[in-house]
Structures are given as C-alpha cells and as structure tokens.
Amino acid sequence: MNFSPLQLDIAQESLTQKIFLSGYSDCGKTTAGKAYLSKLLDNKVPGNKILLLVAQRSLGTTYTDFLDSIEAYNGTLPAVQTISGLSQKIIKLFWPIIAHEFGFRDISQPPVFLNIESSQYFMAKVCQPFFDKDYFSTIKSEKPRILSQILDNLNKAAVIGFSHKDISEKLKNAWNKDVKHLVAYDEAQDCAVAFREYCLNNNLLDFSLQMEIFFKSMQQSFLIRQYLFDSFDYCLYDNCEEDTPLAHDLMIDWLPKFSGALIIYDQHAGYRSFLGADPKSALRLIESCSKSVEFNKPYNSSNEMQTLIPLYQKAIHRQTLPEFPKKTFSKLAFHHHKFYPDMIEGVVSQISTLIENGTEPGNIAILSPFVSNSMQFQIQQRLAEKQIKLISHRPSRSLQEESITHGLITWVKIAYPEWGLPVSLYQFRTAINHALGNMDPIRADLISRIVLSKHDPLILRSIEDIKPELLERISIQASFQYKQIFDWLLQYQNEKSEMDVFLARFFGEVISQPGFGFHNNFEAAEITGKLIESMQNFRKNTANHFQNTEDNWALDYIKMLENGLISALYLQNWELPPLDSVYLAPAHTFLMQNRIVKHQFWLDIGNMGWWQRLMQPLTQPYVLSRNWQDGTKWTDIHEYENNQMNMEKMISGLMRRCSGKIFLHTAGFNENGDEQAGPLLKATQRLLRRYHQQYGLLNV
C-alpha cells in the first residue's frame, strides 16, 4: 500500500510510544494502522507478539485482507482479536481455577461457550416454566424478542460492570410511564437469574457470563492478569469507540505494559451503542497515551459534501442555516414519489443510468433504516430485469425468514420420517421449486400434488408411478431430477447420519449438481452454508445437554428455527461485496462496514425509522449505561434528544462515506400505505427551502 508521510510518521512513533489517533471517517486512520503493522513486521516483531484488537470481528476484515497481501514477514502474522475471543482463550486455559472460583457445579468438565442461537435455546428452556405461569402478559411482544431482550440485559450488565441481579432495579428507577409495566421488568429479572443459575449448573457460558468471569478474573487473579499482559508487546486497537466500558478499563491498565501502541478512535461514531458501545468511555484512553493526534483531511469526500454535513446537522436541530455556495447542492438529488412502487422504479432507473455511464455496481449502495422482505424482493426483481446483480445484507434477519431455508428443512423432514414432523403441500412445493432446475411455481405445485402422499405427508411417490400425460406437463427434465432426488433419499435411509451431515451431502451430491436449482446459485449456497454452520454450532454447544437427556438435538433445532431462532453473526456477510453487485443494507449495517461508495440511495426518508429507535419493552440501552445516573427518570425529552443525536450521527457518517452523490427518495405513501413525514424528510425540506430562498430556484 502507499502510505502518506503523516501515516508513516504515526506508525514510526507508535513503535516506542502510545499514540491516540482520532478523526472522522475517511481520514486515513485505519490505513495508518496498516502502516503500523507494516513497520512492526519490517522490524521483525513476531506476529504473535502483536495485539490486533477490534471491537467486533467484522471490523477486522480490512486488516485480515491487508495481512493476507503481505508476502515477507518474521514468524507468524498477527491475528485479529476481540475482547470476547481473548476471554475465551483465558477461560479455557485457566478453567480449573476459574470454575472453582465462580461456582460451576462440575469443574472436571470443560466449559461450553454459547453463541446467540444456543443461548436463546437454553434461555427458552429456562423461561418456559415462567411463560406457563403467564409471565410477560403485561407487554405485547413475541417470545423470541422477549428472550433476546433478557439476554441483552445480561450482556449490558456484564460489559458495563454491574450485577445481573440489579437489572430490573435500574430499569424500574428510570421508568416514567404506566406502573403496570414495572411487573415485566421484575419478570425479566427472574428469568435472567434463573438462566444464570442454569448456566453455572451446566458449565454453560453465554456472552454475559463469559465477560463477567473474564473481567473479574483480570481484577482478582495476579496470575491470569500477568499471563495476558505478558503475551503481547505491541498493540493496535482500532474502532475503540465501538467497544464497551469494561474493555476500556482493561486497556487503561494494559497500555503501560506495551512497548508501543496505536489506539484509533472514530469521531462522531459509536454506532453499536445499543449493544453497549461507549464512545465517551473510549476517550479515557487518551490519559494512558503519551500523545494524541487528530486526522482531519478526508481522502474521498468532496468539499461540497464536507460543506453539506454541518448544514444537515443544523437542519436536523432546527438551527438557522447560513448561506452556502450553489454548487454545494450538486452532491444531493431529491426525488418525491406519490406511491412506494414508484419510488422503487425511480431508484432502479437511476441505478441503471449510472451503470450505463460507467459506474461500477459495487460503488452503489441502497440504504434504508430497515430492509423488509418485500423491499428486497422488489428491488432485486427490477434490477434483475436490467441484468444488474444485487447483494443484500441484513444481520438481524434470521435463517427462518429465508424461503431457501424452508425448502432445505423440508428435505430434512422427509429424510427423517421417524421424527414425525409433518410436511405441508406448501412446504414441499417450496422445496421442489428451489431444488429442481428451471422450475416455476405452477409446475412445482403440480409435481407436489402428484408425488406427496395425501394420507402420509412424509411419504413420497416414485415418479415411475405417474401417468405419462402428467409427466409431459411436468417436463422430462423435472421428472428426471425428481427421480434422482427420490432415489438418493431412498438410498440414504440405509446410511443415516447426523442432520448437518445429511444436508451437506444432499447439497453437494444432488441439488448443487449441473441442471439442479442450486447449481451456480451463490445466494442459495451461502444460505445453505449458514444453515449447516448453524446446525454444527448448535450440535457442539448442546452436546452435553442431549447426552444427559432423551431429547433429539436435531428435532429441537428445527423447532427453534421454525419459531424464529435468530442466527449468529456470519463473518462472510461482512466481507466487501463484489464490484459487479449493487449493495442493499440497513443504514447502520453499512456504517459498521467502514467502506466508501461513490453513490448512495437513501430510501423512504420520510420513514420514522431514520430517527426513532426500535422500542424494546424489556431493555433500555441508554439507561443500562455508565453515562446514566441511577434514579433519573427517562422522559420524552431524553428520547427526543437521543433520537436527534443518533440521526445526526448516522447522517454525518453516511455522508462521510460517499465520494460522489446522494440520491434521496421519499414516497407520499410508505410500504404499508401510510403517509409519513419523519424528521429526516423535514430536515431535507429545510435545506431545500433555504436553497430556494438563496437562489430562487429548486433545480437539485
């Protein structure tokens, strides 16, 4: 890579000093971090002596790609680490000491680290007796969301540094509305305490218990503390503003032990605050550094875009807008549509024009506060008509929401008839539609009605028993492919294996072969890979539980999946999308990728989702924070100010990640047919009115 003199100077100084590097996005801070890694490796520092720390695994992909490009180095290359990853290594290594200290029932057995999926599974088991007692009847929320919020509360307590037994008290002290809601906080507390006891009794470590044990061990055990502190000589800590207060506490104690360190802080960020990120806490690291440096010159953003950022900030906060150059608005294009489908058509048409004029599809991002199934489908279908590929990423989207997942699970049910899980006509039609090549819904429905037994929905008929005239309607190709699947499943009955093994074989040996529906279908392959990985992780994390019970892990997994099990974070989703594909994602997801695109499309800017946070009845990210004073009531004023601040932060972050033009689209009626005029639309209208007043026209 080509590094600037300033970046090289920072890298050189960080070899012998602790440098705190701050600045806005696109000012070259991460590139300075890469220069620092290069300097360390050039000075023959072994990679295993370099702590390359990020707040979230996805934020480390840029460093992973950079290190993969290095050819000459001494020994090993540094590995991207997170506090969670470090804690797992420490707990595994010192388990006999830790298990005894923290009250685990069986210290002779190794710990089992739970991911999101397995945590929700065990939380559901623990909470079921409480649901049977009519817990949470005072709130309107689905069971998976209730479970995830209880886990979220536990996680907040662990990374902020207070007892998990005090969660409800903190939430109740801040509650300022209907007193009936306070009961739900106490009920969530009961579930959290019961889950923690269950984990201790079964050697299970969810994220909250893992973090709590790690941070307490670092405080209480000189041996563990010394071992970790002596493991690394140099430190590169990027995006520290996205990390948690206890992580910052640890780094404040750790920094003096390093020979050199570079701490990178992104100003006006902290997009993971709903997960415990604390930018204010991260600023404390300056005191442990010998020097503070600020980068303030953007590499890709134009002067016009830099001028627009403070203008938008003033418009959001209803402040007086100053005069500005006319060309400033050349970076904005505002489009109003009466109906939602018209907006989608307008966006697709503009994208097509940009690509025809030479813009790489990968340099175009379509952003919205939320990306619904219908939005993705409409955009994807219309872009496909113009031979334009689309890649979408929705981290909160569960595997259960994918129709391909439903099809694959249907084949699993058919392969294991002894489980007695029924297969409906709709489910089998979905499975056939995806599995057979060149299949349409009408023929998929026809073949489903023919081969699926009406008396036993788990028994398939052979294609050879079907009348010739029906075979012609289905097509010879579809008939032949169905026969191959039928024969393969018949053979499989004699060589049963675990569910994840079945799915891997079925995908590799049958449906991904030439002519079948999954052949060269990379989206389907990705979803299949996620599903198999999810199954494998679930089987590994629940192995001890199912060895001690008569339950079937596969059966429980399918039931949890069909009930809305949230999938874990799959790192491949965070890799930079290919240049031949337009990128569709929620705005916050795009911000967490730390990437620049030439053109951005902001959809439905009248939507309140650009401003209003997702309401969660059992948790509150700003109350469960070190920045909140216990006993203070959370009022509508607090809600308004935080929403204003978060929207300003999000809009500024998006604009700093755009090197070309932003296309703002709004619809008179949103996706649900409702009229909306949210704060982002109003802020945009203030800018447009000021522009019109200043220049007497509105050609933007």
Side-chain angles (χ1 to χ4, degrees):
M1 293 186 66
N2 294 321
F3 303 113
S4 71
L6 183 57
Q7 289 168 340
L8 291 172
D9 289 344
I10 294 295
Q12 184 64 41
E13 291 182 20
S14 300
L15 293 176
T16 55
Q17 301 180 61
K18 287 83 175 181
I19 307 295
F20 188 90
L21 176 59
S22 63
Y24 291 114
S25 174
D26 187 39
C27 290
K29 304 186 302 301
T30 296
T31 304
K34 295 175 182 178
Y36 181 44
L37 288 178
S38 292
K39 286 282 186 182
L40 289 171
L41 296 172
D42 289 344
N43 281 274
K44 308 302 181 184
V45 177
N48 62 348
K49 286 294 182 180
I50 302 171
L51 174 62
L52 174 48
L53 188 65
V54 293
Q56 180 178 302
R57 285 194 308 160
S58 62
L59 294 170
T61 54
T62 181
Y63 288 110
T64 303
D65 295 340
F66 171 70
L67 291 170
D68 287 342
S69 68
I70 296 178
E71 296 180 357
Y73 54 89
N74 180 40
T76 59
L77 286 172
V80 174
Q81 307 272 6
T82 62
I83 292 295
S84 177
L86 289 174
S87 67
Q88 285 195 22
K89 293 177 184 177
I90 290 295
I91 292 172
K92 287 178 182 177
L93 185 62
F94 294 96
W95 175 246
I97 300 173
I98 289 171
H100 177 75
E101 183 71 24
F102 287 91
F104 285 92
R105 188 181 66 180
D106 188 356
I107 64 175
S108 65
Q109 294 298 317
V112 177
F113 295 96
L114 306 179
N115 61 7
I116 294 175
E117 295 168 347
S118 47
S119 293
Q120 279 208 318
Y121 170 76
F122 286 114
M123 178 65 81
K125 278 197 169 296
V126 170
C127 290
Q128 190 55 51
F130 294 100
F131 283 110
D132 294 340
K133 296 176 185 178
D134 207 25
Y135 266 46
F136 306 111
S137 59
T138 58
I139 62 172
K140 294 181 179 179
S141 190
E142 297 176 353
K143 186 175 178 180
R145 288 196 63 198
I146 290 174
L147 300 178
S148 66
Q149 288 174 62
I150 297 172
L151 287 170
D152 187 55
N153 285 342
L154 284 167
N155 294 343
K156 293 286 199 315
V159 299
I160 293 166
F162 65 89
S163 171
H164 69 281
K165 296 181 180 179
D166 296 335
I167 294 171
S168 67
E169 204 61 33
K170 286 181 176 290
L171 292 171
K172 288 193 296 183
N173 287 340
W175 184 251
N176 193 37
K177 296 184 180 180
D178 187 358
V179 293
K180 294 180 181 178
H181 189 83
L182 299 178
V183 176
Y185 287 143
D186 286 331
E187 292 171 344
Q189 181 71 70
D190 291 343
C191 292
V193 171
F195 178 69
R196 176 57 58 84
E197 292 174 354
Y198 184 88
C199 288
L200 291 172
N201 289 333
N202 293 277
N203 287 15
L204 304 176
L205 282 83
D206 70 310
F207 178 80
S208 66
L209 184 54
Q210 175 187 324
M211 290 293 101
E212 185 175 318
I213 288 174
F214 173 67
F215 288 123
K216 285 185 177 179
S217 298
M218 291 299 296
Q219 294 170 355
Q220 299 171 4
S221 173
F222 175 80
L223 174 65
I224 295 176
R225 184 185 182 90
Q226 202 64 28
Y227 173 83
L228 183 61
F229 283 5
D230 289 346
S231 297
F232 303 97
D233 296 332
Y234 298 89
C235 173
L236 169 58
Y237 186 16
D238 201 350
N239 287 113
C240 63
E241 78 287 344
E242 301 295 343
D243 224 330
T244 62
L246 278 182
H248 301 145
D249 292 347
L250 175 65
M251 291 305 299
I252 288 171
D253 292 339
W254 200 350
L255 276 172
K257 310 296 182 183
F258 292 110
S259 300
L262 178 60
I263 311 300
I264 299 176
Y265 177 92
D266 198 355
Q267 294 177 0
H268 215 66
Y271 304 114
R272 296 173 72 247
S273 59
F274 64 98
L275 294 176
D278 193 337
K280 290 182 180 178
S281 172
L283 288 173
R284 296 182 296 141
L285 294 170
I286 296 177
E287 300 173 4
S288 301
C289 295
S290 52
K291 185 177 181 180
S292 177
V293 180
E294 182 178 346
F295 281 4
N296 51 27
K297 184 178 180 181
Y299 276 80
N300 296 284
S301 184
S302 63
N303 292 331
E304 291 78 15
M305 192 66 75
Q306 292 301 308
T307 304
L308 273 172
I309 292 172
L311 285 174
Y312 243 113
Q313 291 172 342
K314 289 180 179 295
I316 288 170
H317 294 286
R318 299 174 179 268
Q319 298 172 355
T320 302
L321 296 173
E323 292 189 358
F324 49 85
K326 185 176 181 180
K327 64 177 182 179
T328 298
F329 260 49
S330 64
K331 297 299 178 181
L332 285 184
F334 178 78
H335 301 274
H336 175 74
H337 310 272
K338 187 173 182 179
F339 298 109
Y340 192 86
D342 297 336
M343 182 183 70
I344 301 298
E345 288 289 354
V347 168
V348 170
S349 177
Q350 288 175 334
I351 289 174
S352 178
T353 300
L354 288 173
I355 293 174
E356 288 173 1
N357 291 335
T359 302
E360 290 280 356
N363 252 323
I364 300 173
I366 306 173
L367 307 173
S368 178
F370 312 107
V371 178
S372 66
N373 293 342
S374 61
M375 175 188 287
Q376 179 184 359
F377 178 78
Q378 290 181 67
I379 295 175
Q380 194 161 31
Q381 289 295 105
R382 285 164 173 78
L383 286 176
E385 292 171 0
K386 297 180 179 294
Q387 286 77 50
I388 300 173
K389 294 181 181 179
L390 179 76
I391 293 290
S392 64
H393 182 201
R394 292 181 283 170
S396 62
R397 180 176 171 84
S398 70
L399 287 171
Q400 185 264 349
E401 295 180 73
E402 305 285 356
S403 71
I404 290 174
T405 301
H406 286 283
L408 294 172
I409 292 299
T410 298
W411 292 119
V412 170
K413 292 178 180 178
I414 292 172
Y416 296 88
E418 64 272 18
W419 294 348
L421 296 175
V423 174
S424 68
L425 180 66
Y426 167 77
Q427 290 172 331
F428 189 71
R429 183 171 64 229
T430 301
I432 284 290
N433 196 34
H434 286 303
L436 303 188
N438 300 318
M439 181 55 57
D440 57 78
I442 296 176
R443 285 188 298 146
D445 182 74
L446 178 61
I447 194 172
S448 300
R449 293 179 184 277
I450 293 172
V451 302
L452 191 63
S453 173
K454 296 180 181 179
H455 306 290
D456 189 341
L458 293 176
I459 296 177
L460 299 182
R461 294 173 58 194
S462 170
I463 201 76
E464 296 170 353
D465 299 333
I466 299 175
K467 297 177 181 179
E469 56 269 24
L470 289 177
L471 288 178
E472 291 182 6
R473 294 179 60 188
I474 294 170
S475 82
I476 296 175
Q477 178 187 0
S479 303
F480 178 70
Q481 290 179 349
Y482 171 78
K483 184 179 185 303
Q484 287 182 278
I485 292 176
F486 180 86
D487 292 344
W488 192 93
L489 290 172
L490 200 62
Q491 176 64 29
Y492 181 75
Q493 298 303 311
N494 301 320
E495 46 189 56
K496 287 289 181 70
S497 58
E498 293 287 3
M499 177 173 65
D500 53 320
V501 177
F502 157 76
L503 197 56
R505 285 189 56 196
F506 185 63
F507 174 82
E509 297 177 17
V510 187
I511 58 176
S512 66
Q513 294 301 308
F516 284 87
F518 282 52
H519 183 65
N520 284 339
N521 186 337
F522 300 109
E523 180 185 3
E526 181 182 356
I527 293 172
T528 306
K530 286 182 188 177
L531 186 58
I532 294 172
E533 182 182 347
S534 173
M535 290 176 175
Q536 291 171 338
N537 289 334
F538 184 81
R539 177 154 66 101
K540 179 180 67 175
N541 292 338
T542 58
N544 290 337
H545 167 76
F546 287 105
Q547 285 175 2
N548 299 325
T549 66
E550 296 181 356
D551 297 335
N552 184 320
W553 76 268
L555 271 175
D556 276 20
Y557 177 87
I558 290 176
K559 291 175 183 177
M560 288 291 289
L561 183 65
E562 292 184 334
N563 287 331
L565 180 68
I566 297 177
S567 58
L569 173 65
Y570 295 95
L571 195 58
Q572 63 267 28
N573 279 348
W574 293 88
E575 296 173 356
L576 293 182
L579 286 177
D580 65 346
S581 302
V582 176
Y583 185 64
L584 170 66
H588 270 102
T589 300
F590 177 78
L591 287 170
M592 286 304 297
Q593 283 198 313
N594 266 349
R595 59 185 288 249
I596 308 289
V597 294
K598 189 172 183 180
H599 300 299
Q600 294 178 9
F601 287 79
W602 298 359
L603 268 57
D604 197 13
I605 63 170
N607 193 311
M608 290 295 290
W610 287 98
W611 180 79
Q612 192 174 49
R613 70 184 178 92
L614 183 66
M615 300 308 294
Q616 298 172 295
L618 296 178
T619 188
Q620 225 288 10
Y622 302 109
V623 169
L624 300 181
S625 165
R626 282 191 185 178
N627 301 316
W628 185 254
Q629 185 175 355
D630 286 344
T632 306
K633 297 296 182 182
W634 181 266
T635 65
D636 291 340
I637 295 175
H638 291 109
E639 188 72 28
Y640 174 82
E641 291 176 346
N642 272 277
N643 287 341
Q644 287 284 92
M645 177 191 68
N646 288 333
M647 186 172 75
E648 177 198 335
K649 189 164 57 178
M650 178 169 61
I651 297 308
S652 300
L654 292 176
M655 297 181 85
R656 289 189 172 95
R657 289 165 174 79
C658 181
S659 62
K661 194 168 185 175
I662 297 175
F663 299 81
L664 301 99
H665 286 261
T666 184
F669 298 92
N670 68 7
E671 196 172 8
N672 297 322
D674 301 322
E675 291 186 78
Q676 286 193 140
L680 177 56
L681 175 59
K682 291 179 180 178
T684 304
Q685 289 171 336
R686 291 187 194 104
L687 283 175
L688 291 170
R689 280 196 298 269
R690 184 70 183 91
Y691 181 83
H692 181 66
Q693 292 168 0
Q694 189 172 337
Y695 296 105
L697 49 88
L698 205 57
N699 184 23
V700 295

